[in-house]
Amino acid sequence: MPLLEAAGIRVVGHGGSLVAEDGREEAYLLRAFDSVEQHRAQEDAFYGSDVWRKGPREAIVSRIDGMHSVVIEVPDHAVDAFKRP
């Protein structure tokens, strides 16, 4: 989380699912971007950086069985509603 935020990626929320699908524990990471273009540019910059590749990448990726991304457009007040105190 701190690495994403230091890279300018706005992390809105994160945590574990309240329901295990197919008996598997799942987690989520909610990030907010001003545009799809900003999303791509910031992700490309972060995930291509030495901070990620030479840092925690292997430890994190080794724990992931699978993933998927969902991109939706929401108003700012909806983004704010997901933020945890």
Side-chain angles (χ1 to χ4, degrees):
M1 300 289 297
L3 291 178
L4 290 171
E5 291 171 343
I9 296 175
R10 202 167 29 145
V11 177
V12 177
H14 61 89
S17 174
L18 298 177
V19 177
E21 293 291 327
D22 299 324
R24 295 174 42 202
E25 182 180 334
E26 295 189 332
Y28 66 90
L29 174 65
L30 296 175
R31 298 163 300 158
F33 300 92
D34 292 332
S35 67
V36 173
E37 294 79 19
Q38 181 194 49
H39 169 239
R40 294 286 176 235
Q42 284 186 309
E43 275 200 339
D44 289 349
F46 176 74
Y47 291 113
S49 73
D50 283 347
V51 169
W52 169 248
R53 290 182 301 132
K54 294 180 179 178
R57 181 189 182 283
E58 188 56 40
I60 293 171
V61 171
S62 68
R63 292 182 169 96
I64 299 172
D65 290 339
M67 63 175 271
H68 63 273
S69 293
V70 176
V71 178
I72 61 172
E73 187 172 354
V74 298
D76 287 338
H77 71 273
V79 171
D80 293 339
F82 278 104
K83 290 181 183 173
R84 290 190 171 184

